[in-house]
Amino acid sequence: MNKFREKAFLFLKGMGMGSADIVPGVSGGSIALVTKIYEELLASINSFDLTAIKLLAKFEVVAFWKHVNAGFLLTLFSGILTSIFAFSKVITFLIDKYPIPLWSFFCGLILISAIIILRDIKRWTIVAILMFPIGALIAYFITELPMISSPNNIWFTFTAGAIAICAMILPGISGSFLLLILGKYEFILHAVNERDIVILGVFALGCITGLLLFSRVISWFLKNYHALTLSFLSGFMIGSINKIWPWKKILTYRVSSSGAQKPLLTENILPHVYLAETGQEPAFLIAILAFLIGVVLVVGLERLAYNFRKE
């Protein structure tokens, strides 16, 4: 029963990662980090090496399964894919109709996640302290990057997948946001909604390639510079809040693939300025409630994960 409960909880973590990755500006890596599966995820991905290939070539399926921790990966990625296919339309609807509560919720989620991660640093040094603002500044710079116009061909879809997947295991900046910068967010979301197997297959191959390469880089830093890496990742998460700040003034628009106008360049403003600048209610109390729900959800998940580890 404990085994089943552990698998079910891991599946839910995967769903949390998938839901976060749909939203431009929120990373599934943040969910993995705060729920204490981040390093196991990286280690499992990195186990796809020469040994794994040799075991597979010899048809030693059981040994291969254990070597790559396939039970963990299958459960987690099943949750991620379930969430992406189940909630892509819901998330799109919330972004369009209720952006302030949604972004407030994720602000709370990211802020408390960064604090919890900082708590795991046992030994602080000057360099570790400096890595926090460096991470925040880099993330802030990335969120200010303009979108580009890109072709809808096979090679660029593959490249976009390789780049975007890096964000899934890099807490702070989401793969969806990088897809927006690359001009591929709506293209891939349309492929998900339409079940376009060819586009999704090419995109998935790009994701697998990027995942196998980038996970090794992050793992190396965590192994050799654990405190510095956690400090940097926490700062990175804080800096990414610039992208998902709930109250924004739209400066310019872009035309989506469906012909609808979407915000292109925005400017973050304070809630009391929002009404004067946009003519819309800032929904401040609802935003605070959504923010607190995000905080409570992360604290609850962290506490639940801690109780599982004790058992």
Side-chain angles (χ1 to χ4, degrees):
M1 186 64 182
N2 281 344
K3 197 72 174 176
F4 173 78
R5 192 171 62 170
E6 185 180 320
K7 291 289 185 184
F9 192 46
L10 181 60
F11 182 84
L12 290 175
K13 291 177 182 179
M15 289 192 69
M17 290 179 66
S19 299
D21 276 316
I22 296 171
V23 181
V26 185
S27 171
S30 302
I31 306 298
L33 198 54
V34 78
T35 54
K36 309 298 181 183
I37 60 169
Y38 189 65
E39 294 189 40
E40 184 177 0
L41 173 60
L42 292 178
S44 301
I45 294 169
N46 292 340
S47 64
F48 285 87
D49 51 15
L50 285 175
T51 302
I53 294 172
K54 289 176 182 177
L55 290 172
L56 203 57
K58 295 176 183 177
F59 296 101
E60 296 181 19
V61 179
V62 176
F64 170 80
W65 185 273
K66 291 180 179 178
H67 178 74
V68 300
N69 199 11
F72 170 84
L73 290 175
L74 184 63
T75 304
L76 185 68
F77 280 95
S78 294
I80 291 172
L81 291 174
T82 298
S83 187
I84 289 173
F85 282 106
F87 299 136
S88 60
K89 290 183 178 180
V90 175
I91 294 294
T92 303
F93 172 79
L94 291 174
I95 290 173
D96 288 338
K97 301 298 182 183
Y98 303 100
I100 291 177
L102 181 68
W103 298 130
S104 298
F105 168 79
F106 280 111
C107 278
L109 187 147
I110 288 176
L111 183 61
I112 192 64
S113 296
I115 293 171
I116 288 174
I117 292 162
L118 286 173
R119 194 184 61 187
D120 288 339
I121 299 176
K122 306 302 181 187
R123 183 172 174 270
W124 284 93
T125 63
I126 296 297
V127 179
I129 292 170
L130 287 174
M131 291 308 293
F132 182 84
I134 289 172
L137 286 172
I138 291 175
Y140 181 88
F141 172 76
I142 292 174
T143 60
E144 292 292 306
L145 289 175
M147 289 198 313
I148 64 172
S149 178
S150 60
N152 290 336
N153 54 33
I154 295 298
W155 74 266
F156 197 84
T157 300
F158 178 90
T159 303
I163 294 173
I165 199 65
C166 295
M168 194 196 82
I169 55 174
L170 184 63
I173 302 295
S174 74
S176 297
F177 176 62
L178 290 185
L179 286 177
L180 266 179
I181 292 175
L182 294 169
K184 280 285 165 282
Y185 177 69
E186 290 177 0
F187 179 72
I188 297 300
L189 199 60
H190 178 76
V192 171
N193 291 332
E194 296 299 319
R195 308 295 192 266
D196 190 325
I197 303 301
V198 175
I199 294 297
L200 293 178
V202 172
F203 183 73
L205 284 175
C207 289
I208 291 169
T209 303
L211 194 62
L212 291 175
L213 294 174
F214 192 65
S215 64
R216 283 166 168 76
V217 175
I218 296 294
S219 293
W220 186 86
F221 276 104
L222 279 170
K223 181 179 179 181
N224 294 282
Y225 304 100
H226 192 264
L228 273 63
T229 305
L230 288 183
S231 180
F232 176 85
L233 293 177
S234 298
F236 204 86
M237 291 169 68
I238 294 297
S240 71
I241 291 178
N242 176 60
K243 172 62 183 174
I244 62 170
W245 179 254
W247 297 278
K248 295 181 181 291
K249 176 184 177 182
I250 300 172
L251 303 177
T252 60
Y253 288 88
R254 62 185 173 87
V255 179
S256 70
S257 56
S258 62
Q261 281 195 328
K262 300 284 186 179
L264 177 58
L265 295 177
T266 60
E267 178 186 346
N268 291 340
I269 54 179
L270 294 173
H272 69 277
V273 180
Y274 185 79
L275 178 60
E277 292 283 351
T278 66
Q280 299 176 345
E281 287 294 328
F284 185 70
L285 292 178
I286 296 174
I288 291 296
L289 178 61
F291 178 89
L292 292 175
I293 290 172
V295 170
V296 171
L297 179 64
V298 171
V299 171
L301 282 173
E302 199 268 343
R303 179 52 52 184
L304 202 55
Y306 174 77
N307 289 336
F308 268 117
R309 291 197 303 274
K310 283 184 67 177
E311 292 178 10

